[in-house]
Amino acid sequence: MEIVYNLKQIDKAVNFVLEQAKFKTLIFKAEMGTGKTTLIKQLVKALGCEDEVSSPTFSIVNEYEGLTSTIYHFDLYRIEEETELYDFGIETYLDSDAYIFVEWPKLLEPLLDNYTEVSIYTNENQDRVLQLKNSN
């Protein structure tokens, strides 16, 4: 499944992801600067969180409270080994009923059973192309 949008149409992308994602764990794949964090900020807002949303580049994870669920936003860019995931208790987060949004999921992906992959790239018109794929 795929849609094309620009930043002025980000609500279109948010609605698409929330309607089509089969799982509450979403992994985001895209080159740096393509809009992963921008999309995640809008997803968190759409889920009812009024807090300021920022990238957890240095904290690894940010926690937000939505209207009906907790939301964890991970940035695993600085994680170099799978053992580091366990060092901060990744299994506790994965075992929760929270929304889990993960940027740079390369080391985490093999540990996941059910998740939705969100891939974003920029096309020749500088629009974003969002591809969504549910596992299983």
Side-chain angles (χ1 to χ4, degrees), residues 65-128:
E65 287 302 322
L67 289 176
T68 61
S69 180
T70 300
I71 305 155
Y72 296 112
H73 176 194
F74 291 89
D75 184 329
L76 303 181
Y77 183 77
R78 295 177 39 228
I79 300 295
E80 297 179 1
E81 297 180 22
E82 183 181 306
T83 56
E84 294 176 69
L85 297 170
Y86 293 106
D87 288 345
F88 69 79
I90 191 68
E91 63 276 11
T92 302
Y93 295 101
L94 296 177
D95 288 341
S96 73
D97 189 39
Y99 277 94
I100 298 172
F101 300 147
V102 184
E103 297 184 60
W104 307 105
K106 183 178 179 182
L107 291 172
L108 180 62
E109 189 174 358
L111 307 176
L112 298 174
D113 291 322
N114 299 313
Y115 61 92
T116 298
E117 179 180 309
V118 179
S119 299
I120 308 168
Y121 67 90
T122 305
N123 68 13
E124 64 279 355
N125 298 325
Q126 299 306 306
D127 290 329
R128 301 305 191 265

Side-chain angles (χ1 to χ4, degrees), residues 28-91:
F28 293 80
K29 296 183 175 182
E31 295 296 320
M32 199 168 290
T34 307
K36 294 180 300 293
T37 303
T38 301
L39 179 59
I40 290 171
K41 285 179 181 183
Q42 293 305 115
L43 284 164
V44 171
K45 183 179 175 183
L47 291 170
C49 179
E50 296 181 10
D51 296 339
E52 182 66 31
V53 177
S54 62
S55 176
T57 303
F58 295 102
S59 63
I60 308 291
V61 62
N62 288 344
E63 179 179 342
Y64 304 102
E65 287 302 322
L67 289 176
T68 61
S69 180
T70 300
I71 305 155
Y72 296 112
H73 176 194
F74 291 89
D75 184 329
L76 303 181
Y77 183 77
R78 295 177 39 228
I79 300 295
E80 297 179 1
E81 297 180 22
E82 183 181 306
T83 56
E84 294 176 69
L85 297 170
Y86 293 106
D87 288 345
F88 69 79
I90 191 68
E91 63 276 11

Side-chain angles (χ1 to χ4, degrees), residues 1 15-27 97-101 113-118 132-136:
M1 296 176 276
N15 292 334
F16 176 77
V17 170
L18 291 177
E19 290 170 5
Q20 300 299 322
K22 189 174 170 183
F23 305 105
K24 291 173 83 173
T25 298
L26 289 86
I27 61 171
D97 189 39
Y99 277 94
I100 298 172
F101 300 147
D113 291 322
N114 299 313
Y115 61 92
T116 298
E117 179 180 309
V118 179
L132 193 133
K133 181 172 66 172
N134 291 302
S135 68
N136 299 341

